[in-house]
Amino acid sequence: MTRTIVASATREIVIGFDQPFCVIGERINPTGRKKLAAEMQVGNFDTVIKDALEQAAAGATMLDVNAGVTAVDPNATEPGLLVQTLEIVQNLVDLPLSIDSSVTAAIEAGLKVAKGRPLVNSVTGEEEKLEAILPLVKKYDVPVVAISNDETGISMDPDVRFAVAKKIVERAMDHGIKAHDVVVDPLVMPIGALGDAGRQVFALLRRLREELKVNTTCGLSNISFGLPHRHGINAGFIPMVIGAGMTSAIMNPVRPQEMEAVRAANVLNGTDRDCMTWIKTYKDFKPGEHAAPPPVAVNAPGDAGAANGGRRRGGREARRAVQG
């Protein structure tokens, strides 16, 4: 059974087909969030702290951390800002982290300070990226997200995206990285622009599970981009994509409707043993309300407050070509 292990300083999480769905909180990312980007550029981490605590309290399994606030010389500015952001977050919450950057120097800087076993987000099938990122993944013995695009861009043909994923898995193995440490992102397309985007990703997930035997992830909200009431589409997509074999997603855990869909899918998929998480979360549920999740332990915020005084900048992002 394929198992990808991620960890914080004291908590280990297993991503796998027989495990509860892994919710990777997406909020600590200034891409498309002008206010957050402006704050981070001047060393204000109030929103970062708020987002970290809220996502943990809402039931996130792990948190994605991105510090790409500027496209101006990100190689010089992003590493320091990403390190600062990672240190703040891991001093606040005891959740595994995903180090999210397209800047190789920033990823390595983040790996040096991250506690436990973080997830690297990400590597693509581009030769330059493969040769830059895979040695770091091997050196630090961490798992990595593999995005199914290469020098030719993002293909609309799911067979091409599968071939790119296979190439990345094989190249990782050439570097001594086991397939279970490669988490493939098959790239979810917007259903409003591509009518068979849902069927495409369901078929891709089955192939990735059965043929490559890898865990998978995606930017969940891509599916609903451009449509009204996006959270309804997202909530409907979640159990279907889990049923097709997806084992994690980068998503917003603060949306109760979407988290309810995750928890229900875990119950129906048999990964919420004896329905205990569902019962604990919703035992006091009343019609018309969204029950609050069980409280989670957080670390003392003192270190984060001290770290809030610094100033760094960064830049990003090559990945979100299909995201809004």
Side-chain angles (χ1 to χ4, degrees):
M1 184 64 70
T2 301
R3 295 189 166 206
T4 304
I5 296 174
V6 293
S8 64
T10 61
R11 181 184 301 189
E12 182 178 287
I13 298 294
V14 179
I15 304 172
F17 307 125
D18 62 341
Q19 300 295 311
F21 191 69
C22 179
V23 175
I24 306 172
E26 70 179 4
R27 294 291 293 165
I28 304 173
N29 187 335
T31 305
R33 300 180 67 191
K34 293 182 180 179
K35 178 177 179 291
L36 176 58
E39 288 179 357
M40 293 176 71
Q41 280 183 298
V42 297
N44 179 351
F45 292 91
D46 289 347
T47 300
V48 168
I49 292 168
K50 176 177 176 287
D51 285 342
L53 294 173
E54 284 186 348
Q55 290 182 107
T61 315
M62 58 188 299
L63 298 182
D64 188 75
V65 178
N66 181 294
V69 298
T70 176
V72 179
D73 199 10
N75 287 310
T77 58
E78 189 168 330
L81 183 59
L82 181 59
V83 164
Q84 192 174 8
T85 309
L86 286 166
E87 289 178 332
I88 289 171
V89 173
Q90 65 188 2
N91 283 333
L92 280 173
V93 298
D94 189 23
L95 294 177
L97 301 181
S98 167
I99 300 174
D100 185 357
S101 180
S102 59
V103 177
T104 302
I107 288 176
E108 182 160 27
L111 286 169
K112 289 178 179 178
V113 301
K115 300 175 183 177
R117 194 170 197 251
L119 175 68
V120 168
N121 184 10
S122 55
V123 68
T124 67
E126 300 165 275
E127 286 298 321
E128 181 180 354
K129 288 295 183 183
L130 289 168
E131 292 307 311
I133 301 301
L134 292 181
L136 290 178
V137 171
K138 175 61 178 176
K139 176 181 177 180
Y140 290 92
D141 186 27
V142 292
V144 62
V145 173
I147 301 180
S148 303
N149 69 284
D150 58 16
E151 290 87 353
T152 65
I154 299 170
S155 175
M156 295 298 105
D157 185 342
D159 290 336
V160 172
R161 299 206 299 277
F162 177 85
V164 174
K166 184 178 180 182
K167 169 189 171 181
I168 298 173
V169 172
E170 290 174 346
R171 290 290 290 277
M173 293 176 70
D174 289 343
H175 281 79
I177 302 162
K178 296 186 186 311
H180 64 241
D181 274 337
V182 181
V183 181
V184 172
D185 182 344
L187 290 172
V188 172
M189 303 297 174
I191 192 75
L194 188 66
D196 65 346
R199 294 193 301 273
Q200 276 194 10
V201 74
F202 302 147
L204 258 173
L205 287 169
R206 294 185 185 101
R207 289 192 68 189
L208 290 166
R209 175 172 178 164
E210 294 167 7
E211 297 180 38
L212 298 186
K213 297 178 172 54
V214 292
N215 282 310
T216 45
T217 195
C218 72
L220 187 91
S221 63
N222 284 357
I223 193 68
S224 63
F225 178 69
L227 294 176
H229 187 39
R230 295 183 65 183
H231 305 301
I233 296 290
N234 296 345
F237 183 57
I238 287 166
M240 296 184 73
V241 82
I242 292 174
M246 185 164 278
T247 50
S248 70
I250 301 169
M251 56 181 285
N252 186 353
V254 180
R255 299 291 180 183
Q257 185 177 8
E258 295 173 30
M259 287 301 290
E260 286 175 4
V262 169
R263 296 186 184 106
N266 287 337
V267 169
L268 298 172
N269 210 27
T271 56
D272 181 0
R273 190 165 299 174
D274 299 324
C275 307
M276 291 307 297
T277 297
W278 183 269
I279 293 168
K280 185 177 180 181
T281 306
Y282 300 111
K283 59 184 175 62
D284 297 322
F285 177 80
K286 296 177 182 179
E289 296 180 356
H290 288 290
V296 297
V298 298
N299 298 330
D303 291 339
N308 196 25
R311 291 187 301 114
R312 298 282 187 230
R313 298 180 180 178
R316 168 89 166 166
E317 167 163 310
R319 172 181 185 177
R320 309 283 194 246
V322 297
Q323 291 184 336

